[in-house]
Amino acid sequence: MLTYPNLISALRLLLVPVFAILLIQGQDTWALGVLAVSGASDWLDGKLARALDQGSRLGELLDPAADRLFILVTLVVLAVRDVVPLWLVAVIVGRDLLLTVVLAVLVKTQIGPLPVHFVGKAGTFALLYAFPLLLLAQWPGTVGLVAGIVGWAFAWWGVALYWLAAAVYLFQAVRELRRRRDAAATAGGGTS
């Protein structure tokens, strides 16, 4: 449990409140720095886990938890600051709530969480790039203009990929639940 990748993921989780406070206080440059460190640590923990063969179930849970928390906190604070519209918060948080319910059903039926799909990782990646760019879009001049255009492009791609990943996860969940039901019916002597 005390592996380098897990410690890095735990540190990333600890950076979430630091990031939120900086963002709320309007210290955007420092907040962007924390976000950059978080992004680098997200890459580093995965790289170390593979290189050192230190992958773990805890790491599989910590890494996406840190990503989701950063996305949620960033979204809420950016919405409070009127940087992003509330509909964007609703679309992203709604997807996560839906998958939380699906996960609860899977855990209750002892299937457990399904593996993370590449599309979901790509959606998370796009959103984690979109938010700092949308924050930079508040700056005057060319930097703000370019950051806004690129940030919204990442946001739209991120939302699309996020929901596509949700559809893939729902399909996998239904397939696993049907497989479990069919196995139970077969074991119980039932016929289909």
Side-chain angles (χ1 to χ4, degrees):
M1 300 230 339
L2 288 178
T3 63
Y4 291 118
N6 288 350
L7 291 172
I8 291 170
S9 291
L11 173 64
R12 209 158 95 246
L13 278 170
L14 293 174
L15 286 176
V16 172
V18 173
F19 171 75
I21 291 167
L22 290 170
L23 206 54
I24 288 168
Q25 292 177 343
Q27 297 183 31
D28 295 352
T29 304
W30 284 106
L32 287 170
V34 169
L35 202 55
V37 167
S38 172
S41 71
D42 188 20
W43 171 82
L44 182 62
D45 69 3
K47 190 81 167 165
L48 283 175
R50 287 183 293 278
L52 301 174
D53 195 27
Q54 292 185 345
S56 69
R57 185 68 187 134
L58 178 61
E60 290 174 6
L61 296 173
L62 278 177
D63 188 51
D67 289 344
R68 296 289 165 272
L69 203 50
F70 258 109
I71 287 173
L72 177 64
V73 167
T74 305
L75 260 177
V76 169
V77 175
L78 291 181
V80 166
R81 289 185 51 188
D82 289 324
V83 173
V84 299
L86 288 177
W87 66 261
L88 184 61
V89 178
V91 165
I92 292 172
V93 171
R95 181 262 193 192
D96 282 344
L97 289 175
L98 171 67
L99 291 186
T100 299
V101 170
V102 172
L103 177 61
V105 169
L106 292 175
V107 168
K108 184 177 183 208
T109 56
Q110 298 177 349
I111 294 173
L114 297 172
V116 176
H117 194 273
F118 173 75
V119 175
K121 289 181 181 184
T124 299
F125 174 81
L127 291 174
L128 288 174
Y129 268 88
F131 300 141
L133 288 167
L134 293 175
L135 185 60
L136 276 174
Q138 304 304 299
W139 292 11
T142 306
V143 169
L145 177 65
V146 171
I149 293 168
V150 176
W152 276 109
F154 270 111
W156 281 109
W157 275 107
V159 166
L161 291 169
Y162 219 50
W163 275 95
L164 178 59
V168 168
Y169 193 79
L170 285 171
F171 176 78
Q172 290 173 334
V174 168
R175 186 180 63 209
E176 289 301 318
L177 288 168
R178 283 185 181 154
R179 186 175 301 163
R180 175 68 57 97
R181 182 197 63 205
D182 292 347
T186 302
T191 57
S192 304

